[in-house]
Short mmCIF file of all heavy atoms in Angstrom, two decimals:
data_model
loop_
_atom_site.label_atom_id
_atom_site.label_comp_id
_atom_site.label_asym_id
_atom_site.label_seq_id
_atom_site.Cartn_x
_atom_site.Cartn_y
_atom_site.Cartn_z
N ARG A 223 12.73 -15.92 -14.71
CA ARG A 223 12.03 -14.74 -14.20
C ARG A 223 12.95 -13.90 -13.33
O ARG A 223 13.74 -14.43 -12.54
CB ARG A 223 10.81 -15.18 -13.38
CG ARG A 223 9.70 -14.14 -13.34
CD ARG A 223 8.50 -14.69 -12.63
NE ARG A 223 8.55 -14.43 -11.19
CZ ARG A 223 7.74 -14.98 -10.30
NH1 ARG A 223 6.83 -15.85 -10.70
NH2 ARG A 223 7.84 -14.68 -9.02
N VAL A 224 12.85 -12.58 -13.46
CA VAL A 224 13.54 -11.66 -12.57
C VAL A 224 12.49 -10.92 -11.75
O VAL A 224 11.47 -10.48 -12.28
CB VAL A 224 14.44 -10.67 -13.34
CG1 VAL A 224 15.56 -11.42 -14.04
CG2 VAL A 224 13.66 -9.86 -14.36
N ASP A 225 12.73 -10.80 -10.46
CA ASP A 225 11.79 -10.14 -9.57
C ASP A 225 12.40 -8.85 -9.03
O ASP A 225 13.61 -8.78 -8.78
CB ASP A 225 11.42 -11.05 -8.39
CG ASP A 225 10.51 -12.19 -8.82
OD1 ASP A 225 10.07 -12.20 -9.99
OD2 ASP A 225 10.25 -13.08 -7.99
N GLN A 226 11.57 -7.85 -8.85
CA GLN A 226 12.03 -6.56 -8.37
C GLN A 226 12.35 -6.64 -6.88
O GLN A 226 11.55 -7.08 -6.07
CB GLN A 226 10.96 -5.50 -8.62
CG GLN A 226 11.38 -4.10 -8.23
CD GLN A 226 10.31 -3.07 -8.60
OE1 GLN A 226 9.33 -3.37 -9.26
NE2 GLN A 226 10.51 -1.83 -8.16
N ALA A 227 13.56 -6.17 -6.54
CA ALA A 227 13.98 -6.21 -5.14
C ALA A 227 13.73 -4.90 -4.42
O ALA A 227 13.38 -4.89 -3.24
CB ALA A 227 15.47 -6.56 -5.06
N VAL A 228 13.93 -3.78 -5.14
CA VAL A 228 13.77 -2.45 -4.53
C VAL A 228 13.12 -1.53 -5.54
O VAL A 228 13.17 -1.76 -6.75
CB VAL A 228 15.13 -1.87 -4.10
CG1 VAL A 228 15.73 -2.66 -2.94
CG2 VAL A 228 16.11 -1.79 -5.27
N PRO A 229 12.50 -0.44 -5.06
CA PRO A 229 11.94 0.54 -5.99
C PRO A 229 13.04 1.20 -6.79
O PRO A 229 14.21 1.24 -6.38
CB PRO A 229 11.24 1.55 -5.07
CG PRO A 229 11.10 0.88 -3.76
CD PRO A 229 12.25 -0.07 -3.65
N PRO A 230 12.72 1.76 -7.97
CA PRO A 230 13.73 2.46 -8.76
C PRO A 230 14.39 3.59 -7.98
O PRO A 230 13.70 4.39 -7.32
CB PRO A 230 12.94 3.00 -9.96
CG PRO A 230 11.76 2.10 -10.07
CD PRO A 230 11.41 1.72 -8.66
N VAL A 231 15.70 3.66 -8.03
CA VAL A 231 16.44 4.70 -7.33
C VAL A 231 16.02 6.08 -7.81
O VAL A 231 15.95 7.04 -7.03
CB VAL A 231 17.96 4.48 -7.54
CG1 VAL A 231 18.76 5.69 -7.09
CG2 VAL A 231 18.41 3.24 -6.79
N ALA A 232 15.73 6.19 -9.11
CA ALA A 232 15.34 7.49 -9.68
C ALA A 232 13.83 7.68 -9.72
O ALA A 232 13.33 8.53 -10.45
CB ALA A 232 15.92 7.63 -11.08
N VAL A 233 13.10 6.89 -8.96
CA VAL A 233 11.63 6.98 -8.79
C VAL A 233 10.90 6.31 -9.95
O VAL A 233 10.03 5.46 -9.73
CB VAL A 233 11.15 8.43 -8.60
CG1 VAL A 233 9.63 8.46 -8.41
CG2 VAL A 233 11.86 9.07 -7.41
N ARG A 234 11.19 6.69 -11.17
CA ARG A 234 10.50 6.10 -12.32
C ARG A 234 11.32 4.93 -12.86
O ARG A 234 12.53 5.05 -13.05
CB ARG A 234 10.30 7.13 -13.44
CG ARG A 234 9.28 8.21 -13.12
CD ARG A 234 9.06 9.07 -14.35
NE ARG A 234 8.17 10.21 -14.09
CZ ARG A 234 7.04 10.45 -14.75
NH1 ARG A 234 6.65 9.62 -15.70
NH2 ARG A 234 6.31 11.50 -14.46
N GLY A 235 10.64 3.82 -13.15
CA GLY A 235 11.28 2.69 -13.80
C GLY A 235 11.22 2.83 -15.30
O GLY A 235 10.58 3.74 -15.85
N ASP A 236 11.88 1.92 -16.01
CA ASP A 236 11.94 2.01 -17.46
C ASP A 236 10.56 1.89 -18.11
O ASP A 236 10.28 2.56 -19.12
CB ASP A 236 12.86 0.93 -18.02
CG ASP A 236 14.32 1.18 -17.67
OD1 ASP A 236 14.65 2.31 -17.26
OD2 ASP A 236 15.14 0.25 -17.82
N LEU A 237 9.68 1.03 -17.58
CA LEU A 237 8.33 0.93 -18.15
C LEU A 237 7.60 2.25 -18.01
O LEU A 237 6.87 2.68 -18.92
CB LEU A 237 7.54 -0.18 -17.46
CG LEU A 237 8.06 -1.61 -17.57
CD1 LEU A 237 7.03 -2.58 -16.99
CD2 LEU A 237 8.40 -1.98 -18.99
N ASP A 238 7.79 2.91 -16.88
CA ASP A 238 7.17 4.21 -16.64
C ASP A 238 7.71 5.25 -17.61
O ASP A 238 6.96 6.10 -18.13
CB ASP A 238 7.45 4.64 -15.19
CG ASP A 238 6.58 5.79 -14.73
OD1 ASP A 238 5.68 6.19 -15.49
OD2 ASP A 238 6.81 6.28 -13.61
N VAL A 239 9.01 5.20 -17.88
CA VAL A 239 9.62 6.15 -18.81
C VAL A 239 9.07 5.94 -20.22
O VAL A 239 8.70 6.90 -20.91
CB VAL A 239 11.15 5.99 -18.79
CG1 VAL A 239 11.79 6.81 -19.91
CG2 VAL A 239 11.71 6.42 -17.44
N ILE A 240 9.00 4.69 -20.67
CA ILE A 240 8.45 4.41 -22.00
C ILE A 240 7.00 4.85 -22.08
O ILE A 240 6.56 5.44 -23.08
CB ILE A 240 8.61 2.91 -22.33
CG1 ILE A 240 10.10 2.56 -22.46
CG2 ILE A 240 7.86 2.55 -23.61
CD1 ILE A 240 10.37 1.07 -22.55
N ARG A 241 6.25 4.57 -21.03
CA ARG A 241 4.84 4.98 -21.01
C ARG A 241 4.72 6.50 -21.07
O ARG A 241 3.86 7.05 -21.78
CB ARG A 241 4.15 4.43 -19.76
CG ARG A 241 2.64 4.69 -19.72
CD ARG A 241 1.98 4.03 -18.51
NE ARG A 241 2.39 4.64 -17.25
CZ ARG A 241 3.19 4.06 -16.36
NH1 ARG A 241 3.67 2.84 -16.59
NH2 ARG A 241 3.51 4.67 -15.23
N GLY A 242 5.59 7.21 -20.32
CA GLY A 242 5.55 8.66 -20.32
C GLY A 242 5.89 9.26 -21.67
O GLY A 242 5.26 10.24 -22.12
N LEU A 243 6.87 8.70 -22.36
CA LEU A 243 7.19 9.17 -23.71
C LEU A 243 6.05 8.87 -24.67
O LEU A 243 5.69 9.71 -25.51
CB LEU A 243 8.48 8.52 -24.19
CG LEU A 243 9.78 8.98 -23.53
CD1 LEU A 243 10.95 8.10 -23.97
CD2 LEU A 243 10.07 10.45 -23.85
N ALA A 244 5.48 7.67 -24.57
CA ALA A 244 4.38 7.28 -25.45
C ALA A 244 3.18 8.21 -25.27
O ALA A 244 2.52 8.59 -26.25
CB ALA A 244 3.99 5.83 -25.19
N ARG A 245 2.88 8.59 -24.03
CA ARG A 245 1.76 9.50 -23.79
C ARG A 245 1.99 10.83 -24.50
O ARG A 245 1.09 11.39 -25.13
CB ARG A 245 1.57 9.72 -22.30
CG ARG A 245 0.44 10.70 -21.96
CD ARG A 245 0.21 10.82 -20.48
NE ARG A 245 1.29 11.51 -19.79
CZ ARG A 245 1.42 12.85 -19.76
NH1 ARG A 245 0.57 13.63 -20.41
NH2 ARG A 245 2.42 13.39 -19.09
N ARG A 246 3.20 11.33 -24.42
CA ARG A 246 3.51 12.62 -25.05
C ARG A 246 3.53 12.53 -26.57
O ARG A 246 3.42 13.55 -27.25
CB ARG A 246 4.84 13.13 -24.50
CG ARG A 246 4.72 13.61 -23.05
CD ARG A 246 6.06 13.71 -22.36
NE ARG A 246 5.93 14.33 -21.04
CZ ARG A 246 5.58 13.68 -19.94
NH1 ARG A 246 5.30 12.39 -20.00
NH2 ARG A 246 5.48 14.32 -18.79
N LEU A 247 3.69 11.31 -27.08
CA LEU A 247 3.65 11.11 -28.53
C LEU A 247 2.27 10.67 -29.00
O LEU A 247 2.08 10.33 -30.17
CB LEU A 247 4.70 10.08 -28.93
CG LEU A 247 6.15 10.56 -28.74
CD1 LEU A 247 7.12 9.38 -28.82
CD2 LEU A 247 6.53 11.61 -29.78
N GLY A 248 1.30 10.67 -28.08
CA GLY A 248 -0.09 10.44 -28.45
C GLY A 248 -0.53 8.99 -28.55
O GLY A 248 -1.59 8.71 -29.11
N VAL A 249 0.26 8.05 -27.98
CA VAL A 249 -0.11 6.63 -28.13
C VAL A 249 -0.05 5.89 -26.80
O VAL A 249 0.28 4.70 -26.75
CB VAL A 249 0.81 5.94 -29.17
CG1 VAL A 249 0.52 6.44 -30.57
CG2 VAL A 249 2.28 6.13 -28.81
N ARG A 250 -0.40 6.56 -25.70
CA ARG A 250 -0.30 5.90 -24.40
C ARG A 250 -1.12 4.62 -24.36
O ARG A 250 -0.74 3.66 -23.67
CB ARG A 250 -0.75 6.84 -23.30
CG ARG A 250 -0.81 6.12 -21.95
CD ARG A 250 -1.08 6.98 -20.77
NE ARG A 250 -1.27 6.15 -19.58
CZ ARG A 250 -1.20 6.60 -18.34
NH1 ARG A 250 -0.94 7.88 -18.11
NH2 ARG A 250 -1.39 5.79 -17.32
N HIS A 251 -2.24 4.57 -25.07
CA HIS A 251 -3.12 3.40 -24.97
C HIS A 251 -2.42 2.11 -25.43
O HIS A 251 -2.84 1.01 -25.07
CB HIS A 251 -4.39 3.62 -25.79
CG HIS A 251 -4.15 3.89 -27.25
ND1 HIS A 251 -3.60 5.07 -27.70
CD2 HIS A 251 -4.39 3.14 -28.36
CE1 HIS A 251 -3.51 5.05 -29.02
NE2 HIS A 251 -3.98 3.89 -29.44
N HIS A 252 -1.36 2.24 -26.19
CA HIS A 252 -0.59 1.07 -26.59
C HIS A 252 0.46 0.67 -25.56
O HIS A 252 1.10 -0.39 -25.70
CB HIS A 252 0.12 1.33 -27.92
CG HIS A 252 -0.79 1.35 -29.12
ND1 HIS A 252 -1.53 0.26 -29.51
CD2 HIS A 252 -1.07 2.34 -30.01
CE1 HIS A 252 -2.23 0.56 -30.59
NE2 HIS A 252 -1.97 1.81 -30.91
N PHE A 253 0.66 1.50 -24.54
CA PHE A 253 1.77 1.30 -23.61
C PHE A 253 1.36 1.44 -22.15
O PHE A 253 2.18 1.74 -21.30
CB PHE A 253 2.90 2.30 -23.92
CG PHE A 253 3.48 2.14 -25.30
CD1 PHE A 253 2.92 2.79 -26.38
CD2 PHE A 253 4.56 1.30 -25.51
CE1 PHE A 253 3.45 2.63 -27.65
CE2 PHE A 253 5.09 1.13 -26.78
CZ PHE A 253 4.53 1.80 -27.85
N ASP A 254 0.11 1.17 -21.87
CA ASP A 254 -0.40 1.40 -20.52
C ASP A 254 -0.11 0.20 -19.61
O ASP A 254 -1.02 -0.51 -19.17
CB ASP A 254 -1.90 1.71 -20.57
CG ASP A 254 -2.35 2.49 -19.34
OD1 ASP A 254 -1.48 2.94 -18.57
OD2 ASP A 254 -3.57 2.65 -19.17
N PHE A 255 1.18 -0.03 -19.36
CA PHE A 255 1.63 -1.14 -18.52
C PHE A 255 2.36 -0.57 -17.31
O PHE A 255 3.08 0.43 -17.41
CB PHE A 255 2.59 -2.05 -19.29
CG PHE A 255 2.03 -2.60 -20.57
CD1 PHE A 255 2.34 -2.01 -21.79
CD2 PHE A 255 1.22 -3.72 -20.56
CE1 PHE A 255 1.84 -2.52 -22.97
CE2 PHE A 255 0.70 -4.23 -21.74
CZ PHE A 255 1.01 -3.63 -22.95
N HIS A 256 2.19 -1.25 -16.17
CA HIS A 256 2.85 -0.80 -14.95
C HIS A 256 3.79 -1.85 -14.36
O HIS A 256 4.60 -1.52 -13.50
CB HIS A 256 1.81 -0.39 -13.91
CG HIS A 256 1.00 0.80 -14.32
ND1 HIS A 256 -0.04 0.73 -15.23
CD2 HIS A 256 1.11 2.11 -13.98
CE1 HIS A 256 -0.56 1.94 -15.40
NE2 HIS A 256 0.12 2.78 -14.66
N THR A 257 3.68 -3.08 -14.81
CA THR A 257 4.55 -4.15 -14.30
C THR A 257 5.03 -5.00 -15.47
O THR A 257 4.38 -5.09 -16.53
CB THR A 257 3.82 -5.08 -13.31
OG1 THR A 257 2.80 -5.81 -14.00
CG2 THR A 257 3.22 -4.27 -12.17
N GLY A 258 6.16 -5.65 -15.25
CA GLY A 258 6.66 -6.57 -16.26
C GLY A 258 5.70 -7.71 -16.52
O GLY A 258 5.58 -8.19 -17.65
N ARG A 259 5.03 -8.15 -15.48
CA ARG A 259 4.08 -9.25 -15.65
C ARG A 259 2.96 -8.86 -16.62
O ARG A 259 2.54 -9.68 -17.45
CB ARG A 259 3.50 -9.63 -14.29
CG ARG A 259 2.58 -10.83 -14.33
CD ARG A 259 2.18 -11.27 -12.93
NE ARG A 259 1.57 -12.59 -12.93
CZ ARG A 259 1.68 -13.47 -11.96
NH1 ARG A 259 2.39 -13.17 -10.89
NH2 ARG A 259 1.10 -14.65 -12.04
N GLU A 260 2.48 -7.63 -16.55
CA GLU A 260 1.44 -7.17 -17.48
C GLU A 260 1.95 -7.20 -18.92
O GLU A 260 1.23 -7.63 -19.83
CB GLU A 260 1.00 -5.76 -17.11
CG GLU A 260 0.26 -5.65 -15.79
CD GLU A 260 0.00 -4.21 -15.39
OE1 GLU A 260 0.45 -3.29 -16.11
OE2 GLU A 260 -0.63 -4.00 -14.34
N VAL A 261 3.17 -6.75 -19.12
CA VAL A 261 3.73 -6.77 -20.47
C VAL A 261 3.91 -8.20 -20.95
O VAL A 261 3.64 -8.53 -22.11
CB VAL A 261 5.07 -6.02 -20.52
CG1 VAL A 261 5.60 -5.99 -21.95
CG2 VAL A 261 4.93 -4.60 -19.99
N PHE A 262 4.36 -9.07 -20.05
CA PHE A 262 4.57 -10.47 -20.43
C PHE A 262 3.29 -11.10 -20.96
O PHE A 262 3.34 -11.87 -21.93
CB PHE A 262 5.10 -11.27 -19.23
CG PHE A 262 5.29 -12.73 -19.53
CD1 PHE A 262 6.42 -13.15 -20.21
CD2 PHE A 262 4.35 -13.68 -19.13
CE1 PHE A 262 6.61 -14.51 -20.51
CE2 PHE A 262 4.53 -15.02 -19.42
CZ PHE A 262 5.66 -15.44 -20.11
N GLU A 263 2.16 -10.79 -20.36
CA GLU A 263 0.90 -11.39 -20.81
C GLU A 263 0.59 -10.97 -22.25
O GLU A 263 0.11 -11.79 -23.05
CB GLU A 263 -0.24 -11.01 -19.87
CG GLU A 263 -0.10 -11.58 -18.47
CD GLU A 263 0.02 -13.09 -18.45
OE1 GLU A 263 -0.67 -13.77 -19.24
OE2 GLU A 263 0.81 -13.61 -17.64
N GLU A 264 0.85 -9.71 -22.62
CA GLU A 264 0.63 -9.30 -24.00
C GLU A 264 1.68 -9.93 -24.92
O GLU A 264 1.35 -10.40 -26.02
CB GLU A 264 0.69 -7.78 -24.13
CG GLU A 264 0.52 -7.30 -25.58
CD GLU A 264 0.38 -5.80 -25.72
OE1 GLU A 264 -0.58 -5.24 -25.15
OE2 GLU A 264 1.23 -5.19 -26.41
N LEU A 265 2.92 -9.93 -24.47
CA LEU A 265 4.00 -10.51 -25.27
C LEU A 265 3.72 -11.97 -25.59
O LEU A 265 3.86 -12.41 -26.74
CB LEU A 265 5.31 -10.35 -24.50
CG LEU A 265 6.61 -10.95 -25.02
CD1 LEU A 265 7.79 -10.20 -24.37
CD2 LEU A 265 6.76 -12.44 -24.71
N LYS A 266 3.36 -12.74 -24.58
CA LYS A 266 3.18 -14.18 -24.82
C LYS A 266 1.97 -14.44 -25.71
O LYS A 266 2.01 -15.34 -26.55
CB LYS A 266 3.08 -14.94 -23.50
CG LYS A 266 1.74 -14.91 -22.79
CD LYS A 266 1.72 -15.93 -21.65
CE LYS A 266 0.31 -16.13 -21.13
NZ LYS A 266 0.22 -17.17 -20.09
N ALA A 267 0.92 -13.63 -25.56
CA ALA A 267 -0.25 -13.81 -26.43
C ALA A 267 0.11 -13.51 -27.88
O ALA A 267 -0.30 -14.21 -28.80
CB ALA A 267 -1.39 -12.91 -25.95
N LEU A 268 0.92 -12.46 -28.08
CA LEU A 268 1.27 -12.09 -29.44
C LEU A 268 2.25 -13.09 -30.05
O LEU A 268 2.29 -13.26 -31.26
CB LEU A 268 1.88 -10.68 -29.44
CG LEU A 268 1.83 -9.93 -30.77
CD1 LEU A 268 1.79 -8.43 -30.54
CD2 LEU A 268 3.03 -10.26 -31.64
#
């Protein structure tokens, strides 16, 4: 496991960037994650 030590220097993290692109491409509901832990739960289930 890797844990976040500091907030993103550029304000938005990579999950936020992917979510923002997905929203503009019309599929945000597939990418509505805010933490790595949330993504991990979907990943491990799949």
Side-chain angles (χ1 to χ4, degrees):
R223 206 175 90 191
V224 295
D225 287 353
Q226 184 176 352
V228 293
V231 168
V233 181
R234 290 186 185 237
D236 291 345
L237 298 188
D238 194 6
V239 171
I240 294 170
R241 186 175 68 251
L243 289 172
R245 178 176 70 80
R246 288 162 173 83
L247 292 165
V249 290
R250 173 173 174 163
H251 58 290
H252 287 298
F253 298 88
D254 203 10
F255 303 99
H256 294 78
T257 67
R259 185 172 193 147
E260 292 172 358
V261 183
F262 178 80
E263 295 303 321
E264 178 172 300
L265 175 158
K266 80 169 192 177
L268 202 151

